[in-house]
PDB file of all heavy atoms in Angstrom:
ATOM      1  N   ILE A 254      90.518  62.260 145.955  1.00 92.00           N
ATOM      2  CA  ILE A 254      90.867  63.391 146.852  1.00 92.00           C
ATOM      3  C   ILE A 254      91.190  64.594 145.908  1.00 92.00           C
ATOM      4  O   ILE A 254      90.738  65.687 146.250  1.00 92.00           O
ATOM      5  CB  ILE A 254      92.105  63.041 147.674  1.00 92.00           C
ATOM      6  CG1 ILE A 254      91.624  62.056 148.819  1.00 92.00           C
ATOM      7  CG2 ILE A 254      92.724  64.250 148.295  1.00 92.00           C
ATOM      8  CD1 ILE A 254      92.737  61.531 149.635  1.00 92.00           C
ATOM      9  N   SER A 255      91.825  64.380 144.815  1.00 95.00           N
ATOM     10  CA  SER A 255      92.110  65.514 143.870  1.00 95.00           C
ATOM     11  C   SER A 255      90.803  66.164 143.414  1.00 95.00           C
ATOM     12  O   SER A 255      90.683  67.428 143.368  1.00 95.00           O
ATOM     13  CB  SER A 255      92.886  65.015 142.649  1.00 95.00           C
ATOM     14  OG  SER A 255      94.153  64.598 142.981  1.00 95.00           O
ATOM     15  N   ALA A 256      89.845  65.345 143.038  1.00 94.00           N
ATOM     16  CA  ALA A 256      88.596  65.872 142.591  1.00 94.00           C
ATOM     17  C   ALA A 256      87.871  66.587 143.704  1.00 94.00           C
ATOM     18  O   ALA A 256      87.246  67.671 143.454  1.00 94.00           O
ATOM     19  CB  ALA A 256      87.681  64.728 142.019  1.00 94.00           C
ATOM     20  N   HIS A 257      87.927  66.044 144.868  1.00 92.00           N
ATOM     21  CA  HIS A 257      87.297  66.729 146.001  1.00 92.00           C
ATOM     22  C   HIS A 257      87.904  68.005 146.334  1.00 92.00           C
ATOM     23  O   HIS A 257      87.171  68.981 146.545  1.00 92.00           O
ATOM     24  CB  HIS A 257      87.361  65.755 147.244  1.00 92.00           C
ATOM     25  CG  HIS A 257      86.895  66.474 148.496  1.00 92.00           C
ATOM     26  ND1 HIS A 257      85.546  66.772 148.668  1.00 92.00           N
ATOM     27  CD2 HIS A 257      87.552  66.912 149.553  1.00 92.00           C
ATOM     28  CE1 HIS A 257      85.407  67.393 149.864  1.00 92.00           C
ATOM     29  NE2 HIS A 257      86.584  67.466 150.392  1.00 92.00           N
ATOM     30  N   PHE A 258      89.222  68.050 146.304  1.00 93.00           N
ATOM     31  CA  PHE A 258      89.964  69.322 146.535  1.00 93.00           C
ATOM     32  C   PHE A 258      89.587  70.369 145.483  1.00 93.00           C
ATOM     33  O   PHE A 258      89.443  71.545 145.769  1.00 93.00           O
ATOM     34  CB  PHE A 258      91.424  69.122 146.625  1.00 93.00           C
ATOM     35  CG  PHE A 258      91.927  68.413 147.849  1.00 93.00           C
ATOM     36  CD1 PHE A 258      93.231  68.000 147.954  1.00 93.00           C
ATOM     37  CD2 PHE A 258      91.121  68.169 148.949  1.00 93.00           C
ATOM     38  CE1 PHE A 258      93.699  67.320 149.058  1.00 93.00           C
ATOM     39  CE2 PHE A 258      91.522  67.481 150.063  1.00 93.00           C
ATOM     40  CZ  PHE A 258      92.909  67.072 150.108  1.00 93.00           C
ATOM     41  N   ALA A 259      89.387  69.981 144.264  1.00 94.00           N
ATOM     42  CA  ALA A 259      88.986  70.865 143.193  1.00 94.00           C
ATOM     43  C   ALA A 259      87.633  71.472 143.516  1.00 94.00           C
ATOM     44  O   ALA A 259      87.399  72.677 143.363  1.00 94.00           O
ATOM     45  CB  ALA A 259      88.970  70.145 141.845  1.00 94.00           C
ATOM     46  N   LEU A 260      86.714  70.611 144.050  1.00 90.00           N
ATOM     47  CA  LEU A 260      85.407  71.136 144.400  1.00 90.00           C
ATOM     48  C   LEU A 260      85.514  72.198 145.533  1.00 90.00           C
ATOM     49  O   LEU A 260      84.935  73.277 145.473  1.00 90.00           O
ATOM     50  CB  LEU A 260      84.410  69.976 144.826  1.00 90.00           C
ATOM     51  CG  LEU A 260      83.147  70.390 145.569  1.00 90.00           C
ATOM     52  CD1 LEU A 260      82.244  71.132 144.587  1.00 90.00           C
ATOM     53  CD2 LEU A 260      82.434  69.215 146.090  1.00 90.00           C
ATOM     54  N   GLU A 261      86.216  71.830 146.594  1.00 91.00           N
ATOM     55  CA  GLU A 261      86.339  72.764 147.732  1.00 91.00           C
ATOM     56  C   GLU A 261      87.023  74.054 147.266  1.00 91.00           C
ATOM     57  O   GLU A 261      86.552  75.121 147.649  1.00 91.00           O
ATOM     58  CB  GLU A 261      87.248  72.159 148.829  1.00 91.00           C
ATOM     59  CG  GLU A 261      86.525  71.237 149.712  1.00 91.00           C
ATOM     60  CD  GLU A 261      87.385  70.800 150.941  1.00 91.00           C
ATOM     61  OE1 GLU A 261      88.489  71.448 151.128  1.00 91.00           O
ATOM     62  OE2 GLU A 261      87.046  69.829 151.629  1.00 91.00           O
ATOM     63  N   GLU A 262      88.051  73.941 146.406  1.00 94.00           N
ATOM     64  CA  GLU A 262      88.723  75.149 145.989  1.00 94.00           C
ATOM     65  C   GLU A 262      87.882  76.024 145.093  1.00 94.00           C
ATOM     66  O   GLU A 262      87.946  77.229 145.125  1.00 94.00           O
ATOM     67  CB  GLU A 262      90.058  74.762 145.290  1.00 94.00           C
ATOM     68  CG  GLU A 262      91.054  74.218 146.268  1.00 94.00           C
ATOM     69  CD  GLU A 262      92.248  73.475 145.721  1.00 94.00           C
ATOM     70  OE1 GLU A 262      92.445  73.644 144.438  1.00 94.00           O
ATOM     71  OE2 GLU A 262      92.957  72.804 146.482  1.00 94.00           O
ATOM     72  N   LEU A 263      87.022  75.431 144.288  1.00 93.00           N
ATOM     73  CA  LEU A 263      86.083  76.151 143.450  1.00 93.00           C
ATOM     74  C   LEU A 263      85.097  76.918 144.394  1.00 93.00           C
ATOM     75  O   LEU A 263      84.857  78.116 144.157  1.00 93.00           O
ATOM     76  CB  LEU A 263      85.277  75.217 142.526  1.00 93.00           C
ATOM     77  CG  LEU A 263      84.130  75.874 141.741  1.00 93.00           C
ATOM     78  CD1 LEU A 263      84.688  76.869 140.709  1.00 93.00           C
ATOM     79  CD2 LEU A 263      83.346  74.751 141.040  1.00 93.00           C
ATOM     80  N   LEU A 264      84.559  76.298 145.370  1.00 90.00           N
ATOM     81  CA  LEU A 264      83.651  76.914 146.259  1.00 90.00           C
ATOM     82  C   LEU A 264      84.370  78.064 147.007  1.00 90.00           C
ATOM     83  O   LEU A 264      83.776  79.154 147.242  1.00 90.00           O
ATOM     84  CB  LEU A 264      83.087  75.946 147.323  1.00 90.00           C
ATOM     85  CG  LEU A 264      82.157  74.887 146.731  1.00 90.00           C
ATOM     86  CD1 LEU A 264      81.846  73.770 147.850  1.00 90.00           C
ATOM     87  CD2 LEU A 264      80.907  75.428 146.213  1.00 90.00           C
ATOM     88  N   MET A 265      85.556  77.840 147.464  1.00 92.00           N
ATOM     89  CA  MET A 265      86.309  78.918 148.153  1.00 92.00           C
ATOM     90  C   MET A 265      86.591  80.118 147.239  1.00 92.00           C
ATOM     91  O   MET A 265      86.451  81.279 147.667  1.00 92.00           O
ATOM     92  CB  MET A 265      87.636  78.342 148.702  1.00 92.00           C
ATOM     93  CG  MET A 265      87.429  77.439 149.921  1.00 92.00           C
ATOM     94  SD  MET A 265      88.997  76.907 150.673  1.00 92.00           S
ATOM     95  CE  MET A 265      89.572  75.683 149.547  1.00 92.00           C
ATOM     96  N   ARG A 266      86.980  79.832 145.999  1.00 93.00           N
ATOM     97  CA  ARG A 266      87.252  80.959 145.036  1.00 93.00           C
ATOM     98  C   ARG A 266      85.994  81.681 144.759  1.00 93.00           C
ATOM     99  O   ARG A 266      86.012  82.975 144.807  1.00 93.00           O
ATOM    100  CB  ARG A 266      87.804  80.383 143.736  1.00 93.00           C
ATOM    101  CG  ARG A 266      89.332  80.172 143.784  1.00 93.00           C
ATOM    102  CD  ARG A 266      89.861  79.971 142.404  1.00 93.00           C
ATOM    103  NE  ARG A 266      89.284  78.863 141.656  1.00 93.00           N
ATOM    104  CZ  ARG A 266      89.681  77.617 141.771  1.00 93.00           C
ATOM    105  NH1 ARG A 266      90.600  77.286 142.529  1.00 93.00           N
ATOM    106  NH2 ARG A 266      89.009  76.681 141.051  1.00 93.00           N
ATOM    107  N   ARG A 267      84.860  81.006 144.566  1.00 90.00           N
ATOM    108  CA  ARG A 267      83.566  81.706 144.281  1.00 90.00           C
ATOM    109  C   ARG A 267      83.190  82.583 145.421  1.00 90.00           C
ATOM    110  O   ARG A 267      82.560  83.606 145.223  1.00 90.00           O
ATOM    111  CB  ARG A 267      82.479  80.675 144.027  1.00 90.00           C
ATOM    112  CG  ARG A 267      82.485  80.055 142.717  1.00 90.00           C
ATOM    113  CD  ARG A 267      81.337  79.063 142.531  1.00 90.00           C
ATOM    114  NE  ARG A 267      81.379  78.534 141.188  1.00 90.00           N
ATOM    115  CZ  ARG A 267      80.643  77.455 140.881  1.00 90.00           C
ATOM    116  NH1 ARG A 267      79.867  76.835 141.814  1.00 90.00           N
ATOM    117  NH2 ARG A 267      80.683  76.927 139.687  1.00 90.00           N
ATOM    118  N   ALA A 268      83.531  82.206 146.672  1.00 89.00           N
ATOM    119  CA  ALA A 268      83.103  83.001 147.840  1.00 89.00           C
ATOM    120  C   ALA A 268      84.187  83.947 148.298  1.00 89.00           C
ATOM    121  O   ALA A 268      84.012  84.571 149.274  1.00 89.00           O
ATOM    122  CB  ALA A 268      82.757  81.993 149.002  1.00 89.00           C
ATOM    123  N   ALA A 269      85.260  84.088 147.481  1.00 92.00           N
ATOM    124  CA  ALA A 269      86.378  84.934 147.826  1.00 92.00           C
ATOM    125  C   ALA A 269      86.862  84.645 149.279  1.00 92.00           C
ATOM    126  O   ALA A 269      87.031  85.544 150.083  1.00 92.00           O
ATOM    127  CB  ALA A 269      86.043  86.380 147.666  1.00 92.00           C
ATOM    128  N   TYR A 270      86.998  83.359 149.571  1.00 92.00           N
ATOM    129  CA  TYR A 270      87.351  82.870 150.888  1.00 92.00           C
ATOM    130  C   TYR A 270      88.738  83.373 151.312  1.00 92.00           C
ATOM    131  O   TYR A 270      89.709  83.214 150.604  1.00 92.00           O
ATOM    132  CB  TYR A 270      87.305  81.335 150.922  1.00 92.00           C
ATOM    133  CG  TYR A 270      87.572  80.696 152.215  1.00 92.00           C
ATOM    134  CD1 TYR A 270      86.793  80.890 153.326  1.00 92.00           C
ATOM    135  CD2 TYR A 270      88.651  79.787 152.334  1.00 92.00           C
ATOM    136  CE1 TYR A 270      87.107  80.304 154.549  1.00 92.00           C
ATOM    137  CE2 TYR A 270      88.947  79.147 153.544  1.00 92.00           C
ATOM    138  CZ  TYR A 270      88.138  79.419 154.637  1.00 92.00           C
ATOM    139  OH  TYR A 270      88.371  78.803 155.856  1.00 92.00           O
ATOM    140  N   ALA A 271      88.800  84.035 152.441  1.00 92.00           N
ATOM    141  CA  ALA A 271      90.056  84.744 152.897  1.00 92.00           C
ATOM    142  C   ALA A 271      91.197  83.775 153.084  1.00 92.00           C
ATOM    143  O   ALA A 271      92.361  84.128 152.793  1.00 92.00           O
ATOM    144  CB  ALA A 271      89.779  85.568 154.200  1.00 92.00           C
ATOM    145  N   ASP A 272      90.960  82.569 153.527  1.00 92.00           N
ATOM    146  CA  ASP A 272      91.996  81.567 153.820  1.00 92.00           C
ATOM    147  C   ASP A 272      92.272  80.600 152.651  1.00 92.00           C
ATOM    148  O   ASP A 272      92.723  79.486 152.917  1.00 92.00           O
ATOM    149  CB  ASP A 272      91.734  80.835 155.128  1.00 92.00           C
ATOM    150  CG  ASP A 272      91.806  81.704 156.324  1.00 92.00           C
ATOM    151  OD1 ASP A 272      92.629  82.659 156.311  1.00 92.00           O
ATOM    152  OD2 ASP A 272      91.153  81.392 157.345  1.00 92.00           O
ATOM    153  N   PHE A 273      91.929  81.042 151.473  1.00 95.00           N
ATOM    154  CA  PHE A 273      91.983  80.152 150.305  1.00 95.00           C
ATOM    155  C   PHE A 273      93.394  79.559 150.144  1.00 95.00           C
ATOM    156  O   PHE A 273      93.622  78.387 149.967  1.00 95.00           O
ATOM    157  CB  PHE A 273      91.576  80.811 149.066  1.00 95.00           C
ATOM    158  CG  PHE A 273      91.811  80.027 147.793  1.00 95.00           C
ATOM    159  CD1 PHE A 273      91.011  78.973 147.487  1.00 95.00           C
ATOM    160  CD2 PHE A 273      92.897  80.283 146.958  1.00 95.00           C
ATOM    161  CE1 PHE A 273      91.189  78.217 146.318  1.00 95.00           C
ATOM    162  CE2 PHE A 273      93.113  79.572 145.827  1.00 95.00           C
ATOM    163  CZ  PHE A 273      92.298  78.529 145.524  1.00 95.00           C
ATOM    164  N   GLN A 274      94.463  80.441 150.082  1.00 96.00           N
ATOM    165  CA  GLN A 274      95.796  80.017 149.788  1.00 96.00           C
ATOM    166  C   GLN A 274      96.324  79.037 150.769  1.00 96.00           C
ATOM    167  O   GLN A 274      96.855  77.909 150.358  1.00 96.00           O
ATOM    168  CB  GLN A 274      96.705  81.228 149.654  1.00 96.00           C
ATOM    169  CG  GLN A 274      98.036  80.897 148.925  1.00 96.00           C
ATOM    170  CD  GLN A 274      97.737  80.289 147.549  1.00 96.00           C
ATOM    171  OE1 GLN A 274      96.934  80.752 146.776  1.00 96.00           O
ATOM    172  NE2 GLN A 274      98.565  79.249 147.224  1.00 96.00           N
ATOM    173  N   PRO A 275      96.255  79.256 152.080  1.00 95.00           N
ATOM    174  CA  PRO A 275      96.800  78.202 152.962  1.00 95.00           C
ATOM    175  C   PRO A 275      96.009  76.872 152.900  1.00 95.00           C
ATOM    176  O   PRO A 275      96.595  75.764 153.002  1.00 95.00           O
ATOM    177  CB  PRO A 275      96.707  78.801 154.395  1.00 95.00           C
ATOM    178  CG  PRO A 275      95.971  80.083 154.287  1.00 95.00           C
ATOM    179  CD  PRO A 275      95.914  80.405 152.789  1.00 95.00           C
ATOM    180  N   HIS A 276      94.699  76.974 152.610  1.00 93.00           N
ATOM    181  CA  HIS A 276      93.883  75.766 152.493  1.00 93.00           C
ATOM    182  C   HIS A 276      94.371  74.986 151.276  1.00 93.00           C
ATOM    183  O   HIS A 276      94.517  73.784 151.333  1.00 93.00           O
ATOM    184  CB  HIS A 276      92.407  76.188 152.453  1.00 93.00           C
ATOM    185  CG  HIS A 276      91.467  75.120 152.731  1.00 93.00           C
ATOM    186  ND1 HIS A 276      90.437  75.257 153.640  1.00 93.00           N
ATOM    187  CD2 HIS A 276      91.379  73.841 152.297  1.00 93.00           C
ATOM    188  CE1 HIS A 276      89.763  74.126 153.697  1.00 93.00           C
ATOM    189  NE2 HIS A 276      90.309  73.248 152.922  1.00 93.00           N
ATOM    190  N   LYS A 277      94.514  75.728 150.125  1.00 95.00           N
ATOM    191  CA  LYS A 277      95.001  75.069 148.871  1.00 95.00           C
ATOM    192  C   LYS A 277      96.387  74.444 149.086  1.00 95.00           C
ATOM    193  O   LYS A 277      96.637  73.315 148.651  1.00 95.00           O
ATOM    194  CB  LYS A 277      94.977  76.064 147.754  1.00 95.00           C
ATOM    195  CG  LYS A 277      95.460  75.529 146.483  1.00 95.00           C
ATOM    196  CD  LYS A 277      95.320  76.566 145.342  1.00 95.00           C
ATOM    197  CE  LYS A 277      95.825  76.092 144.012  1.00 95.00           C
ATOM    198  NZ  LYS A 277      95.397  74.815 143.591  1.00 95.00           N
ATOM    199  N   GLU A 278      97.227  75.149 149.860  1.00 95.00           N
ATOM    200  CA  GLU A 278      98.615  74.583 150.074  1.00 95.00           C
ATOM    201  C   GLU A 278      98.538  73.335 150.930  1.00 95.00           C
ATOM    202  O   GLU A 278      99.282  72.374 150.658  1.00 95.00           O
ATOM    203  CB  GLU A 278      99.458  75.637 150.744  1.00 95.00           C
ATOM    204  CG  GLU A 278      99.866  76.735 149.812  1.00 95.00           C
ATOM    205  CD  GLU A 278     100.567  77.941 150.453  1.00 95.00           C
ATOM    206  OE1 GLU A 278     100.865  77.850 151.682  1.00 95.00           O
ATOM    207  OE2 GLU A 278     100.740  78.975 149.794  1.00 95.00           O
ATOM    208  N   ALA A 279      97.635  73.238 151.864  1.00 92.00           N
ATOM    209  CA  ALA A 279      97.431  72.010 152.641  1.00 92.00           C
ATOM    210  C   ALA A 279      97.014  70.908 151.729  1.00 92.00           C
ATOM    211  O   ALA A 279      97.427  69.707 151.879  1.00 92.00           O
ATOM    212  CB  ALA A 279      96.391  72.259 153.788  1.00 92.00           C
ATOM    213  N   HIS A 280      96.067  71.179 150.807  1.00 92.00           N
ATOM    214  CA  HIS A 280      95.617  70.184 149.887  1.00 92.00           C
ATOM    215  C   HIS A 280      96.766  69.651 149.072  1.00 92.00           C
ATOM    216  O   HIS A 280      96.908  68.448 148.860  1.00 92.00           O
ATOM    217  CB  HIS A 280      94.549  70.754 148.921  1.00 92.00           C
ATOM    218  CG  HIS A 280      93.232  70.986 149.538  1.00 92.00           C
ATOM    219  ND1 HIS A 280      92.206  71.706 148.924  1.00 92.00           N
ATOM    220  CD2 HIS A 280      92.687  70.593 150.760  1.00 92.00           C
ATOM    221  CE1 HIS A 280      91.171  71.727 149.691  1.00 92.00           C
ATOM    222  NE2 HIS A 280      91.363  71.114 150.818  1.00 92.00           N
ATOM    223  N   GLU A 281      97.604  70.569 148.568  1.00 94.00           N
ATOM    224  CA  GLU A 281      98.717  70.199 147.710  1.00 94.00           C
ATOM    225  C   GLU A 281      99.680  69.326 148.511  1.00 94.00           C
ATOM    226  O   GLU A 281     100.282  68.360 147.917  1.00 94.00           O
ATOM    227  CB  GLU A 281      99.375  71.413 147.129  1.00 94.00           C
ATOM    228  CG  GLU A 281      98.503  72.130 146.050  1.00 94.00           C
ATOM    229  CD  GLU A 281      98.978  73.501 145.637  1.00 94.00           C
ATOM    230  OE1 GLU A 281      99.981  73.969 146.260  1.00 94.00           O
ATOM    231  OE2 GLU A 281      98.369  74.037 144.745  1.00 94.00           O
ATOM    232  N   GLY A 282      99.907  69.655 149.722  1.00 91.00           N
ATOM    233  CA  GLY A 282     100.768  68.891 150.607  1.00 91.00           C
ATOM    234  C   GLY A 282     100.320  67.495 150.753  1.00 91.00           C
ATOM    235  O   GLY A 282     101.114  66.511 150.706  1.00 91.00           O
ATOM    236  N   LEU A 283      98.986  67.311 150.987  1.00 88.00           N
ATOM    237  CA  LEU A 283      98.499  65.971 151.130  1.00 88.00           C
ATOM    238  C   LEU A 283      98.660  65.131 149.831  1.00 88.00           C
ATOM    239  O   LEU A 283      99.013  64.009 149.835  1.00 88.00           O
ATOM    240  CB  LEU A 283      97.046  65.891 151.561  1.00 88.00           C
ATOM    241  CG  LEU A 283      96.493  64.494 151.674  1.00 88.00           C
ATOM    242  CD1 LEU A 283      97.150  63.671 152.815  1.00 88.00           C
ATOM    243  CD2 LEU A 283      94.993  64.503 151.845  1.00 88.00           C
ATOM    244  N   LEU A 284      98.317  65.718 148.696  1.00 90.00           N
ATOM    245  CA  LEU A 284      98.469  65.043 147.480  1.00 90.00           C
ATOM    246  C   LEU A 284      99.934  64.582 147.191  1.00 90.00           C
ATOM    247  O   LEU A 284     100.185  63.509 146.715  1.00 90.00           O
ATOM    248  CB  LEU A 284      97.959  65.887 146.263  1.00 90.00           C
ATOM    249  CG  LEU A 284      96.409  66.130 146.311  1.00 90.00           C
ATOM    250  CD1 LEU A 284      96.015  67.171 145.243  1.00 90.00           C
ATOM    251  CD2 LEU A 284      95.689  64.863 146.084  1.00 90.00           C
ATOM    252  N   ASP A 285     100.910  65.504 147.579  1.00 90.00           N
ATOM    253  CA  ASP A 285     102.305  65.144 147.426  1.00 90.00           C
ATOM    254  C   ASP A 285     102.574  63.911 148.406  1.00 90.00           C
ATOM    255  O   ASP A 285     103.348  63.000 147.964  1.00 90.00           O
ATOM    256  CB  ASP A 285     103.197  66.282 147.846  1.00 90.00           C
ATOM    257  CG  ASP A 285     103.219  67.381 146.859  1.00 90.00           C
ATOM    258  OD1 ASP A 285     102.798  67.148 145.683  1.00 90.00           O
ATOM    259  OD2 ASP A 285     103.704  68.532 147.202  1.00 90.00           O
ATOM    260  N   GLU A 286     101.993  63.897 149.570  1.00 86.00           N
ATOM    261  CA  GLU A 286     102.279  62.848 150.492  1.00 86.00           C
ATOM    262  C   GLU A 286     101.678  61.523 150.012  1.00 86.00           C
ATOM    263  O   GLU A 286     102.332  60.465 150.149  1.00 86.00           O
ATOM    264  CB  GLU A 286     101.844  63.198 151.856  1.00 86.00           C
ATOM    265  CG  GLU A 286     102.696  64.247 152.493  1.00 86.00           C
ATOM    266  CD  GLU A 286     102.122  64.795 153.807  1.00 86.00           C
ATOM    267  OE1 GLU A 286     101.634  63.987 154.593  1.00 86.00           O
ATOM    268  OE2 GLU A 286     102.192  66.002 154.013  1.00 86.00           O
ATOM    269  N   ILE A 287     100.536  61.602 149.439  1.00 86.00           N
ATOM    270  CA  ILE A 287      99.940  60.345 148.894  1.00 86.00           C
ATOM    271  C   ILE A 287     100.743  59.811 147.763  1.00 86.00           C
ATOM    272  O   ILE A 287     100.941  58.611 147.675  1.00 86.00           O
ATOM    273  CB  ILE A 287      98.458  60.610 148.437  1.00 86.00           C
ATOM    274  CG1 ILE A 287      97.586  60.923 149.644  1.00 86.00           C
ATOM    275  CG2 ILE A 287      97.884  59.457 147.619  1.00 86.00           C
ATOM    276  CD1 ILE A 287      96.190  61.289 149.387  1.00 86.00           C
ATOM    277  N   ARG A 288     101.288  60.732 146.924  1.00 88.00           N
ATOM    278  CA  ARG A 288     102.162  60.244 145.826  1.00 88.00           C
ATOM    279  C   ARG A 288     103.383  59.601 146.423  1.00 88.00           C
ATOM    280  O   ARG A 288     103.923  58.631 145.915  1.00 88.00           O
ATOM    281  CB  ARG A 288     102.477  61.388 144.850  1.00 88.00           C
ATOM    282  CG  ARG A 288     101.310  61.620 143.916  1.00 88.00           C
ATOM    283  CD  ARG A 288     101.612  62.643 142.840  1.00 88.00           C
ATOM    284  NE  ARG A 288     101.800  64.031 143.329  1.00 88.00           N
ATOM    285  CZ  ARG A 288     100.842  64.883 143.543  1.00 88.00           C
ATOM    286  NH1 ARG A 288      99.542  64.560 143.207  1.00 88.00           N
ATOM    287  NH2 ARG A 288     101.078  66.064 143.993  1.00 88.00           N
ATOM    288  N   ASP A 289     103.973  60.185 147.560  1.00 87.00           N
ATOM    289  CA  ASP A 289     105.107  59.645 148.203  1.00 87.00           C
ATOM    290  C   ASP A 289     104.818  58.229 148.654  1.00 87.00           C
ATOM    291  O   ASP A 289     105.655  57.355 148.581  1.00 87.00           O
ATOM    292  CB  ASP A 289     105.591  60.545 149.309  1.00 87.00           C
ATOM    293  CG  ASP A 289     106.251  61.799 148.817  1.00 87.00           C
ATOM    294  OD1 ASP A 289     106.571  61.961 147.622  1.00 87.00           O
ATOM    295  OD2 ASP A 289     106.396  62.740 149.684  1.00 87.00           O
ATOM    296  N   ILE A 290     103.651  58.065 149.278  1.00 83.00           N
ATOM    297  CA  ILE A 290     103.233  56.754 149.793  1.00 83.00           C
ATOM    298  C   ILE A 290     103.156  55.770 148.663  1.00 83.00           C
ATOM    299  O   ILE A 290     103.545  54.632 148.752  1.00 83.00           O
ATOM    300  CB  ILE A 290     101.926  56.830 150.558  1.00 83.00           C
ATOM    301  CG1 ILE A 290     102.097  57.614 151.890  1.00 83.00           C
ATOM    302  CG2 ILE A 290     101.341  55.443 150.851  1.00 83.00           C
ATOM    303  CD1 ILE A 290     100.803  57.955 152.612  1.00 83.00           C
ATOM    304  N   MET A 291     102.538  56.191 147.513  1.00 85.00           N
ATOM    305  CA  MET A 291     102.417  55.324 146.409  1.00 85.00           C
ATOM    306  C   MET A 291     103.767  54.931 145.867  1.00 85.00           C
ATOM    307  O   MET A 291     104.063  53.730 145.561  1.00 85.00           O
ATOM    308  CB  MET A 291     101.636  55.990 145.267  1.00 85.00           C
ATOM    309  CG  MET A 291     100.178  56.201 145.606  1.00 85.00           C
ATOM    310  SD  MET A 291      99.283  57.261 144.429  1.00 85.00           S
ATOM    311  CE  MET A 291      99.102  56.060 143.061  1.00 85.00           C
ATOM    312  N   ASP A 292     104.730  55.897 145.775  1.00 88.00           N
ATOM    313  CA  ASP A 292     106.081  55.559 145.344  1.00 88.00           C
ATOM    314  C   ASP A 292     106.782  54.609 146.291  1.00 88.00           C
ATOM    315  O   ASP A 292     107.411  53.652 145.841  1.00 88.00           O
ATOM    316  CB  ASP A 292     106.894  56.856 145.183  1.00 88.00           C
ATOM    317  CG  ASP A 292     106.495  57.796 144.045  1.00 88.00           C
ATOM    318  OD1 ASP A 292     105.748  57.276 143.169  1.00 88.00           O
ATOM    319  OD2 ASP A 292     106.870  58.939 144.052  1.00 88.00           O
ATOM    320  N   ALA A 293     106.609  54.827 147.566  1.00 85.00           N
ATOM    321  CA  ALA A 293     107.240  53.962 148.580  1.00 85.00           C
ATOM    322  C   ALA A 293     106.656  52.517 148.515  1.00 85.00           C
ATOM    323  O   ALA A 293     107.439  51.591 148.576  1.00 85.00           O
ATOM    324  CB  ALA A 293     107.069  54.511 149.953  1.00 85.00           C
ATOM    325  N   PHE A 294     105.362  52.531 148.306  1.00 81.00           N
ATOM    326  CA  PHE A 294     104.746  51.186 148.242  1.00 81.00           C
ATOM    327  C   PHE A 294     105.172  50.508 147.002  1.00 81.00           C
ATOM    328  O   PHE A 294     105.538  49.294 147.051  1.00 81.00           O
ATOM    329  CB  PHE A 294     103.201  51.357 148.211  1.00 81.00           C
ATOM    330  CG  PHE A 294     102.476  50.061 148.483  1.00 81.00           C
ATOM    331  CD1 PHE A 294     102.267  49.620 149.763  1.00 81.00           C
ATOM    332  CD2 PHE A 294     102.087  49.250 147.429  1.00 81.00           C
ATOM    333  CE1 PHE A 294     101.606  48.411 150.009  1.00 81.00           C
ATOM    334  CE2 PHE A 294     101.445  48.051 147.635  1.00 81.00           C
ATOM    335  CZ  PHE A 294     101.253  47.678 148.979  1.00 81.00           C
TER     336      PHE A 294
END
């Protein structure tokens, strides 16, 4: 997922995508949640 988000974010930056920041923040939120799940497990 981290690698995939890096690809999406690269494409968005290259295209000067207007909603880049909220999209990136959503990605970061999911990665935090996956780490929380790993810690809980």
Side-chain angles (χ1 to χ4, degrees):
I254 288 173
S255 294
H257 172 71
F258 287 170
L260 168 65
E261 277 188 13
E262 291 166 13
L263 174 66
L264 294 171
M265 288 187 283
R266 277 194 304 274
R267 283 183 180 163
Y270 182 60
D272 289 332
F273 172 78
Q274 197 55 44
H276 201 129
K277 181 174 177 45
E278 288 170 8
H280 287 169
E281 290 168 355
L283 177 66
L284 292 172
D285 287 345
E286 289 174 39
I287 291 172
R288 284 187 289 275
D289 289 346
I290 291 170
M291 291 171 74
D292 290 346
F294 194 85

